[in-house]
Amino acid sequence: MSIIKKRSAFAGVKLPENKITEEEPVEKISLPQVAVIPVQQNIGAPCEFIVKRGDTVKTGQKIADTDKFVSAPIHAPVSGKVSRNKQVLNPVSGAVVEALTIESDGQDEWIDMEVIQKIADIDDLRQVLAMIEKIPAKDILGKVREAGLVGLGGAAFPTHVKLSPPPEKKIDTFILNGCECEPFITSDHRVMLEFGRHILLGMFIISQVLKPENLYIAIEDNKPDAIEYMHRLVVEMGLEDKVDVVSLPSRYPMGAEKTLIKSLVGREVPMGGLPMDVGVVVNNVATCKSVAEAVLEGKPLVEKIITVTGAFQKPKNLLARIGTPVSELVDYCVLQDRDKYHVILGGPMMGVAINDTGYPVTKGLNCVLIKQGKAGREQNCIKCARCVAACPMDLMPLMYPKYVKKGRHEECKQYYISNCIECGSCAYVCPANIPIVGYIKTGKKKIADKK
Amino acid sequence: MDIDKDKILISHSPHLWKGFSTTKLMYMVVIALLLPMGAGIYFFGLSAVYIILASVITCFLTELAIKKFRKKQFVNDGSAVITGILFALVLPPRMPIWMVVVGAIFAIAVVKEAFGGLGHNIFNPALGGRAFLAVSFPQQMTTWVAPSGFNADAVTTATPLGQSFAHEGSKASLYWDMFIGNTGGSIGETSALLIILGGIFLLAFRIIEWRIPVFYIGTVALLSYVFGSDPLFSILAGGLMIGAFFMATDYVTSPTTSNGKIIFGVGLGLLTVLIRRFGALPEGVAYSILIMNAFTPLIDKYLKRKPFGFQKKEAA
Ligand code: SF4
Ligand code: SF4
């Protein structure tokens, strides 16, 4: 089997890549002295803390949980003492959430984990596959949930929920998403190069749950080394009959689920629907790595790989514990001296600008980008239709600023505002420099508030 | 250590911008317009230079004055310059300068700024100005001269679409003259060759989209053939070429979706042929475009794009 090439099946835009950290191996940053843990770190229901001030905790100990299905528990990222409860402003959602702080004792003493197989010790991958085949799907799902896994590509949707489609939705296709289409971000690229075995084991574990007929590994062609390496591993594991490695053009937003599915298997997720409605589940590569660690090593999600990039003297890919204040990552990479900064959590296209670097690393964070903002101010829309031509969701973005300004939300609905994935392609190409996505977010929020 | 909060800026995503601004875009159009403008000056001499200058300067100053008067910020985005050039290019080569000034003021003040300025106008300003002059000064607006370059004593003539038009020589030489621009007509409309080159420039840099010109010109050719007239003559004559590449493609006054652009182009072709054939006027490009401009908001409203993942509502 060789590597398959596919074309993009959506409009989108070609972006400057700026992947300046793609050759920086993942570096471990030291444990935070004080970890800050917000109670909500995923899409869905928030958790409740099950430890209180004064308790001592071990690394990996569950500290927050809920009985709601669409949620995932949270674990202590360091060992030490729960020092206080406080409220923090989530700069991404704008909501105030409960948080607690853990003062590290510096020992990093872990809980006992139920190890089936240490991934680092594996010599024969095929033997492990045979072993995985014997684990019941129910156990896998239980371990994934207990480890607190959520989608690490940024969406932070609880992984066990994604892997539990209702029985009437037959899943025939699983896509491992290694596209990483946002400029600057290289964390997934590094995960593929350094943890390829983990990823493939995770993928194999997931396929035990979903039993799909088709398995794809999708990677953009700006990462030829990752494509090459993943392909080699697939062959090494003897999975070449089951898994297709696909090289896709680097066109933004290739990594978005809907555009990826359309490009790869030609199916369109219906408006308002989910990938499972067309028989597909997509998981990001870093998520699959964590799935392997959760199931084989019993390891909960307490750390993740984050690209710290932009105006730094030493931009890097860092392995950081959840709860580490963003300011520590920034200090570690040494900021360049600039007049003004935009501090962005996430990539330049969809990331959120924050003004408080005390906010901690959460499960969904994959990049800290510091850059100078875009210049210029908003001008009149000249109806040039560049936004229309760029929109991967085939919308008419120019309508949203116009109607949101006037408060005419009914019209926004008629132009299908809810179908917008906020990818930012429209605003990127707009010659009048209109913050179209800002208007779209406002419009969506107003519509939701009215309901 | 936290970053000094005073140094942190907040803005909406995306935090990247292509940087191809309205101003850059407009000046690309100006560059493309240099070609038909050059042809106009070559064929009609100094009077063309004066008319173009008068028109551009008047348009620019009118916009500046109105923005000042309304206490709005003036953005030199180049759109007034484009209107100025286009307006001059659709005027007869011997138009009195004061009339040019009056028309240019009308184009900017009434057709563009009264609607709210760039982006809000419904009609193409240059063509609006031309229509105004055609009503106000019908005689001057239909006085054509034969191309004579910088040679001062030009003789009046008819445009190829005029009833009194006669051509001596072979058909091939007629096509050739019309193609390079050696016929009577407005300053900028006669040379199909240079207009097409300008159009290719705009297409190559993706300033305009192919659908409107192709469907417009294609419809005119097809319908002319159906009505039994010479398709090649129909597309080379009059203002069709400059209209199709430079006026009908005006962003503000044309539809934004691909299907909308096709309907717009076909509608333009239909109107142009009908006016030329059945109307009282020899030429119909300007009025066709103005009429279709009026339909543009409707086309954008009723011809919405089908979004990604759209499914017909199943009968409940
Ligand atoms: S790209 Fe900007 S200026 Fe062009 S139509 Fe869209 S919103 Fe208007
Ligand atoms: S309208 Fe939404 S989906 Fe379309 S380009 Fe803009 S942000 Fe992306």
Side-chain angles (χ1 to χ4, degrees):
Chain A
M1 180 211 65
S2 57
I3 295 156
I4 298 170
K5 268 196 175 10
K6 292 245 169 146
R7 293 155 52 100
S8 70
F10 57 92
V13 285
K14 181 94 192 120
L15 296 175
E17 289 178 1
N18 280 313
K19 306 263 193 191
I20 49 180
T21 49
E22 66 185 344
E23 313 221 318
E24 298 289 334
V26 175
E27 241 173 72
K28 211 168 177 159
I29 176 171
S30 52
L31 302 185
Q33 273 162 6
V34 179
V36 183
I37 323 286
V39 77
Q40 174 140 36
Q41 303 212 13
N42 55 259
I43 291 182
C47 292
E48 265 169 54
F49 287 119
I50 52 177
V51 291
K52 55 182 192 311
R53 201 172 152 174
D55 287 357
T56 43
V57 291
K58 289 186 179 171
T59 308
Q61 180 180 335
K62 193 153 80 175
I63 56 171
D65 204 351
T66 167
D67 48 18
K68 301 261 171 15
F69 181 59
V70 186
S71 188
I74 299 168
H75 303 78
V78 289
S79 60
K81 202 156 147 198
V82 179
S83 54
R84 76 192 171 104
N85 286 48
K86 66 171 190 176
Q87 294 193 316
V88 292
L89 179 77
N90 179 335
V92 179
S93 69
V96 176
V97 289
E98 294 294 320
L100 52 74
T101 53
I102 301 174
E103 254 167 59
S104 166
D105 57 13
Q107 303 300 313
D108 196 25
E109 198 185 319
W110 282 71
I111 48 161
D112 293 329
M113 292 179 282
E114 190 193 330
V115 182
I116 299 178
Q117 168 69 51
K118 268 265 185 243
I119 300 171
D121 302 340
I122 296 173
D123 330 299
D124 187 354
L125 281 164
R126 293 173 196 232
Q127 244 172 31
V128 185
L129 296 187
M131 195 174 74
I132 291 170
E133 278 176 352
K134 294 200 194 85
I135 310 176
K138 210 165 83 297
D139 289 8
I140 293 174
L141 284 174
K143 281 176 194 274
V144 166
R145 187 203 173 282
E146 279 309 300
L149 297 194
V150 301
L152 300 182
F157 187 76
T159 305
H160 67 278
V161 181
K162 213 177 202 179
L163 301 185
S164 317
E168 72 273 13
K169 309 259 189 226
K170 173 84 190 85
I171 303 299
D172 61 13
T173 301
F174 175 80
I175 302 173
L176 177 65
N177 186 355
C179 287
E180 198 164 52
C181 58
E182 279 243 19
F184 284 100
I185 311 183
T186 57
S187 56
D188 281 353
H189 189 180
R190 292 314 305 180
V191 170
M192 285 190 274
L193 293 180
E194 296 177 40
F195 299 93
R197 289 159 58 142
H198 292 65
I199 296 171
L200 284 184
L201 289 170
M203 180 178 190
F204 192 77
I205 291 170
I206 289 173
S207 78
Q208 292 310 301
V209 179
L210 296 173
K211 305 266 182 235
E213 286 127 50
N214 316 302
L215 292 156
Y216 295 101
I217 299 176
I219 305 171
E220 278 190 346
D221 60 11
N222 58 357
K223 297 176 267 292
D225 48 353
I227 297 175
E228 193 65 22
Y229 180 58
M230 294 308 275
H231 181 243
R232 215 175 69 220
L233 281 178
V234 166
V235 175
E236 201 178 301
M237 288 170 108
L239 292 173
E240 63 263 54
D241 297 337
K242 295 198 182 120
V243 181
D244 284 331
V245 179
V246 186
S247 153
L248 291 155
S250 322
R251 193 161 182 89
Y252 182 83
M254 182 59 85
E257 285 187 339
K258 290 181 177 183
T259 45
L260 177 60
I261 293 169
K262 179 146 185 217
S263 303
L264 210 56
V265 291
R267 299 179 200 165
E268 257 183 44
V269 177
M271 260 164 69
L274 292 170
M276 64 166 79
D277 295 327
V278 291
V280 183
V281 167
V282 183
N283 265 133
N284 153 283
V285 287
T287 313
C288 281
K289 165 183 175 276
S290 298
V291 166
E293 289 170 344
V295 173
L296 297 177
E297 300 181 343
K299 187 179 163 195
L301 183 64
V302 294
E303 56 188 6
K304 66 168 311 191
I305 294 164
I306 298 160
T307 302
V308 183
T309 184
F312 287 98
Q313 292 178 27
K314 292 182 274 176
K316 285 177 190 301
N317 298 295
L318 295 180
L319 176 66
R321 290 286 162 89
I322 308 270
T324 310
V326 167
S327 56
E328 290 186 19
L329 308 190
V330 171
D331 283 349
Y332 189 85
C333 295
V334 194
L335 212 51
Q336 288 175 12
D337 192 27
R338 289 285 160 85
D339 233 19
K340 296 276 180 203
Y341 302 98
H342 273 77
V343 182
I344 298 153
L345 299 188
M349 296 300 283
M350 293 185 70
V352 180
I354 59 164
N355 64 0
D356 178 7
T357 51
Y359 194 74
V361 170
T362 56
K363 294 180 182 179
L365 183 70
N366 53 2
C367 179
V368 176
L369 169 65
I370 295 205
K371 70 186 280 288
Q372 271 164 324
K374 55 188 180 109
R377 44 180 200 90
E378 176 174 352
Q379 296 181 338
N380 281 359
C381 168
I382 53 169
K383 289 189 66 212
C384 68
R386 281 177 164 64
C387 55
V388 178
C391 178
M393 291 291 109
D394 301 340
L395 300 169
M396 293 167 72
L398 74 156
M399 297 294 172
Y400 306 129
K402 177 170 139 190
Y403 287 123
V404 170
K405 274 184 210 164
K406 293 188 191 149
R408 284 163 61 178
H409 302 117
E410 218 21 68
E411 274 90 349
C412 291
K413 281 197 237 166
Q414 283 167 16
Y415 285 101
Y416 308 103
I417 193 171
S418 63
N419 210 29
C420 164
I421 56 171
E422 298 176 16
C423 69
S425 302
C426 50
Y428 174 74
V429 296
C430 176
N433 202 3
I434 301 172
I436 305 176
V437 181
Y439 286 109
I440 291 174
K441 286 182 179 166
T442 310
K444 281 182 176 172
K445 195 164 175 305
K446 289 265 161 64
I447 291 169
D449 287 350
K450 250 198 269 175
K451 274 184 193 150
Chain B
M1 184 199 71
D2 287 358
I3 307 176
D4 185 355
K5 278 207 181 166
D6 295 340
K7 284 190 156 192
I8 299 184
L9 299 172
I10 293 287
S11 63
H12 283 293
S13 67
H15 310 281
L16 273 188
W17 186 43
K18 189 166 186 190
F20 192 59
S21 66
T22 304
T23 308
K24 283 189 193 160
L25 214 150
M26 294 287 175
Y27 280 102
M28 294 288 273
V29 179
V30 172
I31 292 172
L33 278 170
L34 291 177
L35 292 162
M37 220 160 79
I41 294 170
Y42 175 80
F43 287 116
F44 300 110
L46 267 186
S47 66
V49 176
Y50 294 145
I51 290 175
I52 293 169
L53 279 177
S55 173
V56 170
I57 293 170
T58 310
C59 284
F60 187 86
L61 292 179
T62 308
E63 179 148 324
L64 187 71
I66 289 176
K67 293 283 190 215
K68 278 262 143 60
F69 178 70
R70 290 180 152 183
K71 302 215 171 15
K72 286 197 177 159
Q73 194 178 1
F74 172 74
V75 190
N76 182 17
D77 54 27
S79 62
V81 174
I82 293 183
T83 299
I85 297 174
L86 282 176
F87 179 61
L89 294 188
V90 294
L91 293 178
R94 290 293 183 268
M95 199 69 191
I97 294 296
W98 71 271
M99 290 184 189
V100 176
V101 171
V102 170
I105 293 176
F106 183 88
I108 294 289
V110 179
V111 189
K112 187 176 171 195
E113 290 300 325
F115 283 89
L118 179 66
H120 298 294
N121 50 303
I122 294 178
F123 298 104
N124 184 310
L127 290 177
R130 182 186 190 274
F132 172 73
L133 289 192
V135 177
S136 314
F137 312 107
Q139 202 206 326
Q140 286 82 354
M141 284 296 283
T142 47
T143 304
W144 312 105
V145 294
S148 58
F150 287 84
N151 189 343
D153 36 69
V155 286
T156 57
T157 182
T159 73
L161 285 169
Q163 278 173 358
S164 57
F165 178 75
H167 181 77
E168 290 156 25
S170 68
K171 220 165 176 192
S173 81
L174 168 66
Y175 288 149
W176 178 247
D177 280 346
M178 290 169 79
F179 184 63
I180 61 162
N182 192 21
T183 60
S186 302
I187 294 171
E189 75 179 22
T190 60
S191 174
L193 170 66
L194 288 174
I195 296 168
I196 292 172
L197 285 179
I200 289 174
F201 174 85
L202 292 181
L203 286 167
F205 284 94
R206 300 188 182 221
I207 307 293
I208 61 170
E209 215 253 7
W210 60 273
R211 288 184 176 82
I212 291 175
V214 167
F215 277 89
Y216 187 4
I217 297 169
T219 306
V220 169
L222 189 76
L223 285 182
S224 304
Y225 178 76
V226 170
F227 282 129
S229 44
D230 178 350
L232 192 56
F233 179 84
S234 305
I235 62 171
L236 290 175
L240 180 64
M241 284 294 169
I242 189 127
F245 282 105
F246 287 95
M247 313 258 188
T249 52
D250 171 31
Y251 301 140
V252 180
T253 56
S254 65
T256 53
T257 60
S258 301
N259 287 343
K261 288 182 205 288
I262 292 173
I263 294 203
F264 188 77
V266 171
L268 284 171
L270 194 70
L271 285 173
T272 301
V273 171
L274 291 180
I275 295 174
R276 279 184 181 176
R277 212 177 151 80
F278 301 110
L281 307 160
E283 173 58 314
V285 170
Y287 292 103
S288 308
I289 296 176
L290 288 170
I291 292 169
M292 288 310 289
N293 286 166
F295 281 106
T296 294
L298 288 177
I299 295 176
D300 267 345
K301 187 165 165 131
Y302 290 105
L303 216 88
K304 294 197 179 87
R305 275 177 113 187
K306 210 169 69 142
F308 187 104
F310 181 82
Q311 289 177 323
K312 280 224 188 75
K313 286 244 162 62
E314 284 157 38

